[in-house]
Amino acid sequence: MVRVELDLSANKGQLIPRSKGGFFARKPEPIGFDVALLAFHGNIGEDGQIQGVFETANVPYTGARTMASAILMDKAITKRAFAGRGIGMLPDVVVNRPATGLVPDRESLEAALKNIAFPVIVKPAHLGSSIGVAKAEDIDTVRQVLPGIFKFDTQAIIEPFVENLVEYNVAVRRENGAVVTSAIERPKRQTDLLDFKTKYMSGGSKKTGGGKQPGASSQGMLSLTRDINPDIPAALENSIRQWATEAYLAVNGTGAPRIDFLSNERTGEVWLNEVNPCPGSFGYFLWEAAAKPVLFTALLDGLIEEAKVYHRAAQLPSDPTPADARLFRR
């Protein structure tokens, strides 16, 4: 393995191998590349930071742009960005990590939660994969679970607990300029809370539903059993697809994010839960089972071509200041 560094001054895709020699060692030759295919999942790689690095280096990169990545990895800001677009979302309260200690005082917490009925769900505002998610029946339990969240995040988001919980996920991308959605998946669960352990450590990898589709043997997240293209009411499916599309457009979406929804199976109510800017495995198993199946290589081709298009569109002239706005002659 050769360690390399991105050349931020090259104004093109260029990696510089780290030299292992001494002072008189020959300078290593740079390694050129055309597009950065981002396959990060989680903080730093999915929240706009690495995207900003490639913007600085003026290198094409796949997936969501810097601003969209930053917004979508913040559950609270995501809700604010989607407000007024007709997307169903649960009410929420954001609690900041105290300047000292890890437990907010009881009085301020009670005041913040006065309009949300218990039980509630408490979760980190910036982490994914259901890490740190907890159910709380009262204010004392909220105070007990917050320190664990604040060890990994600066903010917690608190929402009403959804009874009869079922989750639906769908991916979104652009195809020939049009926004298209993938197959819908319904994760299976044995508990009332779909946490990290249930998602990734429950065992079993057999994928059910959806019939025989190209690539149907793909396992995706191996430990999660799921139904692909489940039989659900048409109105529910329409809401999921319409809101996923609307969310994608709200941040000038690029890449192929997966958008997760929560639903009360008994009442049929549904709410957008979160958006994964770069889902694990690119969510390709959802595209294989879409109405118009897309294989993995085609999915990657589309992401790479999109990266090139957006990079070309973002280029500015060497002197972007209009002539009439210049204080001095060039």
Side-chain angles (χ1 to χ4, degrees), residues 152-330:
F152 301 99
D153 204 336
T154 58
Q155 290 183 322
I157 185 169
I158 303 175
E159 301 170 335
F161 173 73
V162 176
E163 301 286 350
N164 312 302
L165 176 64
V166 61
E167 183 178 346
Y168 296 101
N169 305 325
V170 66
V172 189
R173 67 187 181 94
R174 295 182 192 270
E175 183 176 87
N176 299 323
V179 178
V180 295
T181 55
S182 71
I184 292 175
E185 71 164 328
R186 179 174 59 194
K188 294 181 178 180
R189 57 183 177 81
Q190 288 75 44
T191 65
D192 62 356
L193 184 63
L194 193 61
D195 57 11
F196 180 88
K197 185 175 181 179
T198 304
K199 276 189 174 183
Y200 297 98
M201 301 173 67
S202 59
S205 61
K206 184 178 180 180
K207 186 168 65 176
T208 60
K212 289 186 177 181
Q213 301 282 355
S217 62
S218 300
Q219 296 302 310
M221 298 189 312
L222 294 176
S223 61
L224 175 62
T225 58
R226 59 175 83 78
D227 289 323
I228 300 294
N229 289 320
D231 184 15
I232 59 177
L236 176 60
E237 180 177 350
N238 289 338
S239 292
I240 290 172
R241 296 190 185 279
Q242 179 182 342
W243 290 350
T245 300
E246 192 65 29
Y248 189 72
L249 294 173
V251 293
N252 190 27
T254 52
R258 193 191 73 233
I259 303 179
D260 300 347
F261 294 84
L262 304 176
S263 178
N264 184 320
E265 191 171 24
R266 184 170 299 171
T267 66
E269 296 171 283
V270 63
W271 304 269
L272 188 148
N273 180 37
E274 64 180 9
V275 182
N276 299 267
C278 185
S281 303
F282 297 102
Y284 77 93
F285 62 92
L286 293 173
W287 294 108
E288 288 182 319
K292 181 182 177 183
V294 180
L295 297 182
F296 189 57
T297 51
L299 176 61
L300 294 186
D301 284 345
L303 294 175
I304 291 170
E305 288 306 312
E306 180 183 66
K308 294 178 180 178
V309 168
Y310 270 78
H311 180 257
R312 286 195 297 268
Q315 300 308 297
L316 296 174
S318 56
D319 187 349
T321 306
D324 293 341
R326 297 171 183 171
L327 295 178
F328 304 99
R329 289 185 178 182
R330 300 290 194 266

